[in-house]
Amino acid sequence: MRNEKKFLAKWICSQLDKSNYVFLTDFSRITVEEVANLRHELRKEAGEFHVVKNSVLKAAADERSLPNIDDLLSGQTAIVVGGNNPSGVAKVLKKFYKDAKEEKFAIKGGILDNVLLSVNEINTLADLPSLDVLRAQLLSLLNTPAQKCVRLFNAVPQSMVNVLQAKVNKG
């Protein structure tokens, strides 16, 4: 491999190390303005959009022992990496895909925690609630039994107070 390609492969490796996921996209039919808008939306999720050369990406993926992505490396390829919310980044990509009328932009696939993802799996990931919502739901589930116990323990004294209050009001 030439020195230029080695440098690019090292740079792509550094990009792949930014997160536990990478999404591959075909950007061949979108405009520069649309790419700028996509990058702006991805920045909100700490994601980054980088155009890469297929052969260099393959070399970097092999160096990082990622699953075989040969089937995804056709046409022009860009990678999306960064941040620690793959669901949020997948949401941005899915929305951009729909807004781009589907013929301009394509999600090729991706890798999450060294597992190869299909386009359908990325769309499923995009449909998941955000990490903050999932945390809130989990805390709610953990908090519910404690709330029920407090209500149960409070029911007997509250009933006694209600009976005494009724007696005072009647009498």
Side-chain angles (χ1 to χ4, degrees), residues 34 97 114 143:
E34 290 170 325
Y97 176 71
N114 279 343
N143 196 24

Side-chain angles (χ1 to χ4, degrees), residues 5-74:
K5 283 193 176 185
K6 285 181 184 177
F7 173 78
L8 289 174
K10 187 176 179 181
W11 179 81
I12 291 174
C13 285
S14 72
Q15 296 302 311
L16 294 175
D17 291 341
K18 287 185 176 182
S19 59
N20 65 340
Y21 66 89
V22 59
F23 299 122
L24 283 73
T25 64
D26 181 352
F27 69 96
S28 59
R29 295 175 300 265
I30 60 176
T31 65
V32 172
E33 182 181 340
E34 290 170 325
V35 170
N37 290 337
L38 176 60
R39 283 184 169 142
H40 175 73
E41 291 300 316
L42 286 170
R43 250 183 257 124
K44 294 177 184 176
E45 295 293 336
E48 299 176 12
F49 179 90
H50 299 288
V51 174
V52 295
K53 194 169 172 116
N54 288 336
S55 60
V56 179
L57 177 58
K58 176 163 177 27
D62 290 344
E63 186 176 321
R64 289 291 182 254
S65 300
L66 294 177
N68 187 355
I69 57 173
D70 291 348
D71 295 341
L72 305 176
L73 298 178
S74 62

